[in-house]
Amino acid sequence: MTSTPAAQDATAEAPPLRRVQLWGYAAGDAANNLAFSMSSAFLLLYYTDVAGISAAAVATLFLLVRIFDAFADIFAGRVVDRTMTRWGKFRPFFLFGAVPVLGLSVAVFSVPSGLGGTATLVYAYVTYAALGLAYSLVNIPYGSLASAMTQRPDERAKLASYRMIGTASTIIMLAFVVAPQIEGSKGDPAQFQRSLTLTTLAFLVVGVGLYWFLFKTARETVYREVDHVSMRQSLETLRHNRPLLMLCGGSLLFLLAMFSLQSVQAYYARDVLGNANYLIVLTILSAGAIFAIAPVIPRMVRTLGKKRSFITFGLIGIVGSVGITLAPPDRPVLAIVAFGVMGIAIAGVNTLMWALEADTVEYGEWRTGVRTEGITYALFSFTRKVGQALGGAVAGFVIAAGGYSGEVVRQSDEALWSIRLAAGLIPAGFIVLAITVIFFYPLTEKFFAQMVAETKARRAGGTPAPDDATG
């Protein structure tokens, strides 16, 4: 077996994570979101108001390309599971993938002027699909890395919290940078195009530095018996991993809610509340909630467990979603409060998702004897991409049905109501379904501790897993 950078004593405890490693992990997701959240939050608006693509055509594009992205995650998961280098299994992808993913983000937000309608649509499909593939080859290793850095639940909760701090920092920064561009370029798409191209070029430089920091600080310490995982081993592990499948189902439903809201948040600020600069306030409250929630998550996990905490935050999200829809447009303070409540829910659930996904890696190893971080995280990320695809498509189709047009400055009452629905009541319905699925999630903290102990004892005694998939 190839020697790996992971700890070679099968029963040894990995050392506690250092603070610089936590911040390095946060930097990685900050870099990821320079591409991911930029497209989630602003690409629908960019395509309709600058590139001149209809809302319905963009909704179809999002659906098709993001489903392609989801399958790209599965491909990336297999690439990761088969990889082992002198730098480890995951770290090389940050070193070599930074420039492609951030460079393609520049291309996505730089549709050439003068193209005909068909050529513009083809350019959009090709560049956005290429960005999705490049992003998968960076994000799947990044998400998989957490389960290889530590097996301690409290430390994984810290990693998940710091990850969300990186996400929130980028999302808030995007609001401060892009919202004034939206407000200042009303009726002038050429000006908006120039500013977005320069902005994404700056993100390319910053993002490469953030990925380098992650590469230098991350360490893979969890012991693995198999470095190069076969396709059969990957599929066997997934087949036996019921907690993973249930987590994917519940997460998909919550993500439909989150991405529907994110896709129309800029429209809500500009058209419903009447000023695109409200996006800064909405984003600070919604994304900034993670700074208040992150320190609380490890304590909630110890007290309630991950499952009950997920359900608690989901209930909070229902309240926020309903408030976003029903808040009177002439009283923006009510909408702002509702976005803050929804931000608490999104921050909590997203943080818990990452910690829960890492736990399902241990379940798969306990059942089969093989650690498959890559394909396990890939299936979870597949779920996130499908959620992004369907959530963005739902938002696009809803505002299209309401008569939204990027060619007018003031939208009709029907169009404004459709934006409020896509931001509020529709997400609330998806959250109700997500809570229902997670209610039956089987992997408790007590069961997790038992699994880890049994796996270590099995390694020490050389006994096979309950369902041996190593052959």
Side-chain angles (χ1 to χ4, degrees):
M1 181 172 64
T2 304
S3 178
T4 79
Q8 292 304 301
D9 183 349
T11 61
E13 287 283 350
L17 297 174
R18 293 175 291 122
R19 187 59 59 92
V20 69
Q21 291 177 283
L22 296 172
W23 283 116
Y25 199 68
D29 214 43
N32 285 344
N33 280 280
L34 290 173
F36 184 79
S37 288
M38 184 70 182
S39 62
S40 296
F42 302 113
L43 195 53
L44 178 58
L45 180 68
Y46 172 75
Y47 278 155
T48 56
D49 290 22
V50 179
I53 306 172
S54 71
V58 177
T60 302
L61 182 154
F62 279 178
L63 182 63
L64 296 177
V65 172
R66 288 172 177 173
I67 287 176
F68 163 80
D69 290 350
F71 284 98
D73 281 351
I74 300 297
F75 166 75
R78 283 297 306 140
V79 172
V80 169
D81 277 342
R82 292 178 62 84
T83 297
M84 181 55 70
T85 74
R86 64 188 178 94
W87 294 303
K89 181 176 283 288
F90 309 113
R91 295 169 63 231
F93 293 92
F94 316 137
L95 187 63
F96 299 109
V99 171
V101 69
L102 293 166
L104 283 164
S105 182
V106 177
V108 164
F109 281 95
S110 300
V111 177
S113 61
L115 295 177
T118 301
T120 296
L121 203 55
V122 169
Y123 179 92
Y125 269 95
V126 171
T127 53
Y128 193 34
L131 172 62
L133 178 59
Y135 180 78
S136 292
L137 288 168
V138 171
N139 185 56
I140 297 302
Y142 172 79
S144 304
L145 177 65
S147 59
M149 291 177 70
T150 180
Q151 287 182 302
R152 290 175 50 181
D154 58 334
E155 298 249 297
R156 285 184 174 175
K158 288 180 184 178
L159 281 173
S161 295
Y162 273 80
R163 174 177 187 160
M164 289 305 298
I165 287 173
T167 300
S169 299
T170 299
I171 291 174
I172 291 171
M173 180 275 296
L174 289 175
F176 273 101
V177 171
V178 181
Q181 298 176 22
I182 297 172
E183 184 65 23
S185 62
K186 279 183 177 178
D188 189 355
Q191 178 185 338
F192 194 26
Q193 176 64 83
R194 288 192 296 272
S195 62
L196 282 179
T197 298
L198 291 174
T199 298
T200 50
L201 282 169
F203 290 168
L204 169 61
V205 176
V206 173
V208 168
L210 291 171
Y211 280 127
W212 176 252
F213 182 40
L214 170 64
F215 174 81
K216 293 295 289 183
T217 57
R219 292 294 180 268
E220 302 170 23
T221 60
V222 175
Y223 177 85
R224 67 180 71 251
E225 294 185 39
V226 180
D227 285 342
H228 303 279
V229 181
S230 69
M231 176 66 79
R232 178 190 170 192
Q233 289 169 329
S234 294
L235 295 177
E236 280 293 304
T237 303
L238 293 182
R239 183 171 67 86
H240 288 291
N241 205 326
R242 178 169 170 259
L244 173 63
L245 299 178
M246 294 193 69
L247 175 63
C248 286
S251 299
L252 170 62
L253 291 163
F254 188 87
L255 292 164
L256 281 167
M258 186 182 81
F259 286 117
S260 178
L261 171 61
Q262 283 189 0
S263 296
V264 297
Q265 188 164 293
Y267 295 93
Y268 192 99
R270 186 190 64 185
D271 299 318
V272 176
L273 300 182
N275 190 322
N277 285 323
Y278 273 121
L279 180 61
I280 297 174
V281 181
L282 299 181
T283 304
I284 288 174
L285 284 176
S286 56
I290 186 58
F291 295 103
I293 295 302
V296 177
I297 292 293
R299 193 177 309 126
M300 285 188 69
V301 168
R302 287 193 298 269
T303 305
L304 298 177
K306 299 184 187 76
K307 173 180 171 178
R308 290 180 181 175
S309 297
F310 187 112
I311 292 172
T312 299
F313 283 116
L315 293 172
I316 294 171
I318 293 171
V319 174
S321 296
V322 173
I324 287 170
T325 298
L326 300 182
D330 59 349
R331 299 186 65 184
V333 67
L334 296 179
I336 289 169
V337 170
F339 269 88
V341 172
M342 186 59 174
I344 291 171
I346 290 174
V349 171
N350 259 329
T351 302
L352 291 164
M353 281 184 195
W354 305 125
L356 286 163
E357 184 280 329
D359 290 352
T360 64
V361 173
E362 310 303 332
Y363 183 89
E365 183 181 18
W366 175 73
R367 287 296 304 269
T368 67
V370 180
R371 290 185 70 83
T372 55
E373 296 102 331
I375 198 65
T376 301
Y377 185 81
L379 183 61
F380 181 67
S381 186
F382 176 92
T383 301
R384 292 186 66 83
K385 291 290 183 66
V386 172
Q388 185 190 24
L390 297 178
V394 165
F397 285 128
V398 168
I399 68 172
Y404 175 84
S405 172
E407 297 177 357
V408 300
V409 175
R410 179 171 177 78
Q411 301 297 325
S412 67
D413 290 342
E414 291 79 8
L416 294 177
W417 182 245
S418 69
I419 292 170
R420 294 166 70 184
L421 281 176
L425 282 184
I426 289 174
F430 287 128
I431 295 173
V432 170
L433 296 175
I435 290 174
T436 303
V437 173
I438 294 300
F439 181 80
F440 296 99
Y441 180 76
L443 191 52
T444 64
E445 272 64 30
K446 181 178 180 180
F447 187 15
F448 176 82
Q450 176 187 333
M451 285 190 316
V452 172
E454 289 183 6
T455 300
K456 289 183 177 180
R458 195 169 63 229
R459 288 173 185 157
T463 55
D467 293 292
D468 189 6
T470 61

